Amino acid sequence: MSTPPPGKLGLPELAAMKSRGEKIVMVTAYDAPGARFAEDAGIDILLVGDTAAMVVLGHESTTVPVTVEEMLFLTRTVARAARRPVIVGDLPFGSYQVSDEEAVSTAIRFVKEGGADVVKLEGAGTSVSRARAIVQAGIPVMGHIGLTPQSATMLGGFKTQGKTAERALELVNQALELQQAGCFSLVLEAVPSAVASRVTELLEIPTFGIGAGAGCDGQVLVYHDLLGLTEGHLPRFVKRYANLSGEIKGALAAYAEEVRSGVFPDDEHSYSMDESERAEFEAALESRSPVNE
Ligand code: KIV
């Protein structure tokens, strides 16, 4: 791919952060205000995640239904709004599983039409080959193993992965295969901290944990979860840093109450006109011929 625009955080810098032991911060983003807030807060990477299916598109507890067109729309929006953070386009379910060619075509769309800097795909197995093909096409890839929501049914639901020695070793092997395929980084979701730490030590590329403990090179959380915009059950790994849904509902209820009681809009939030113009307007209204005669 071409040289990153001025001011954009480069992928070599992410690798350098890992070697310096500096934590890398990633958060999901789905719209322009969210992207700007995250950039202003100094976030390094914005993941336009397929969690969009649930947190912004209203699908129940699954990322599967979101389409390429929907993800491209959201990715474009985020990419337009942010300058420094690396923009990750998340390839949705069904857009890369069939063949390496399909994976490369989808990844190209995310870069050309979505403005993504890099793409993310889930799983190992055939995904290793997909990752390799995309990297060979010149597009950097972030892998994602452990709990991979697109294949949650195969994994027996939204459950912690790698809890036995055998499954933990499988994760290590998957991580090494994805690194070997050319991935520049890896998300580890819902795996025991001890396993994630060992994977992180064994890899040269940065790891991002979500429910994978403090030993990872960076962390990622879903924007709506950390800000308290999601309601209902949340995974154990989510830490809420605000309760914005409470704030938003309070503000909307206050607005509704003020409209209904006539308190809003008051003079401060309305436009006035010159008294003389107003008098002329009223006189003209009085003397105008009725419309229906
Ligand atoms: O889609 C997403 O938001 C993700 C994160 C949870 C890592 O994949």
Side-chain angles (χ1 to χ4, degrees), residues 175-224:
L176 290 169
E177 282 175 26
L178 285 163
Q179 173 174 268
Q180 179 69 28
C183 286
F184 78 93
S185 68
L186 198 58
V187 170
L188 300 171
E189 179 164 352
V191 303
S193 311
V195 179
S197 294
R198 293 296 280 134
V199 169
T200 302
E201 284 162 18
L202 287 165
L203 291 186
E204 283 161 28
I205 58 174
T207 60
F208 293 93
I210 173 159
C216 297
D217 298 304
Q219 296 292 323
V220 54
L221 276 180
V222 170
Y223 183 88
H224 289 59

Side-chain angles (χ1 to χ4, degrees), residues 26 28 30 47-52 63 90 120 122 144 149 187 189 210 220-222 237:
M26 170 157 66
T28 64
Y30 315 97
L47 165 63
V48 189
D50 62 359
T51 39
T63 59
D90 205 6
K120 177 168 88 58
E122 290 187 8
H144 180 162
V187 170
E189 179 164 352
I210 173 159
V220 54
L221 276 180
V222 170
F237 57 70

Side-chain angles (χ1 to χ4, degrees), residues 30-150:
Y30 315 97
D31 60 17
R36 279 194 292 267
F37 295 148
E39 170 150 32
D40 291 349
I43 303 286
D44 302 306
I45 305 180
L46 299 184
L47 165 63
V48 189
D50 62 359
T51 39
M54 294 175 288
V55 297
V56 295
L57 300 178
H59 293 288
E60 292 272 322
S61 65
T62 172
T63 59
V64 167
V66 70
T67 65
V68 168
E69 297 307 324
E70 287 167 334
M71 288 301 297
L72 282 174
F73 174 83
L74 300 174
T75 309
R76 250 192 314 271
T77 309
V78 168
R80 258 197 304 270
R83 211 170 103 86
R84 176 184 174 272
V86 176
I87 309 295
V88 186
D90 205 6
L91 305 188
F93 179 71
S95 72
Y96 62 93
Q97 280 84 359
V98 170
S99 64
D100 287 357
E101 290 71 22
E102 182 197 44
V104 173
S105 313
T106 310
I108 289 174
R109 289 196 69 192
F110 271 75
V111 171
K112 280 185 82 146
E113 299 172 42
D117 300 308
V118 306
V119 297
K120 177 168 88 58
L121 49 73
E122 290 187 8
T126 54
S127 291
V128 175
S129 165
R130 308 290 178 264
R132 185 178 299 109
I134 298 171
V135 172
Q136 280 170 359
I139 299 172
V141 175
M142 175 182 278
H144 180 162
I145 56 171
L147 172 53
T148 44
Q150 292 178 8

